[in-house]
Amino acid sequence: MALQVSKWPECVPLTLEEVARRWAQEGFDCALWIDPPGQAWIDFVHPTDELVLVKEGTMEFEVEGERIILHPGDQLFIPAGKRHSAWNRGQTTASWFFGYRQQPVRVGEA
């Protein structure tokens, strides 16, 4: 599986408001997470697609055994159902946005 990484446009502010606005257009919600050096989140699986975007610091992500180091402005797409982990690999606090694809409500399921 090839990891899907993209770069946040340098001309667009890397703020919660702007990331939330852009991700909402793609059907994702958005929140900001802050991790101290050495923080690890191991073996998560979500029933929906996830986006992560590093705001500051250095984060390492592993998705189904494939690892990548992300720096500010790097965005990673994590497909639904894929096991993934995250680590703050830097010597400083890292902050990163995450969001989950919002599933439309189907008729009769409300």
Side-chain angles (χ1 to χ4, degrees):
M1 175 182 114
L3 295 179
Q4 296 179 33
V5 179
S6 58
K7 194 73 174 166
W8 186 257
E10 289 185 21
C11 61
V12 179
L14 199 53
T15 63
L16 180 58
E17 295 77 18
E18 189 61 31
V19 175
R21 185 184 72 74
R22 285 176 164 252
W23 282 5
Q25 294 172 349
E26 298 177 42
F28 287 82
D29 61 10
C30 180
L32 178 65
W33 198 256
I34 300 172
D35 285 327
Q39 177 67 55
W41 303 99
I42 307 298
D43 290 340
F44 284 83
V45 177
H46 306 295
T48 186
D49 296 334
E50 181 178 6
L51 286 175
V52 297
L53 170 62
V54 175
K55 178 177 169 88
E56 61 184 349
T58 304
M59 294 292 299
E60 179 176 1
F61 285 86
E62 179 180 336
V63 181
E64 294 289 320
E66 193 172 342
R67 290 185 179 219
I68 189 164
I69 301 286
L70 300 181
H71 301 280
D74 292 338
Q75 179 175 282
L76 173 66
F77 174 79
I78 303 171
K82 300 296 182 184
R83 185 169 307 281
H84 58 283
S85 300
W87 299 265
N88 176 352
R89 293 296 194 198
Q91 300 299 313
T92 62
T93 298
S95 60
W96 48 287
F97 301 101
F98 68 98
Y100 302 104
R101 186 179 305 280
Q102 300 301 292
Q103 301 297 329
V105 176
R106 295 187 187 102
V107 176
E109 291 184 3

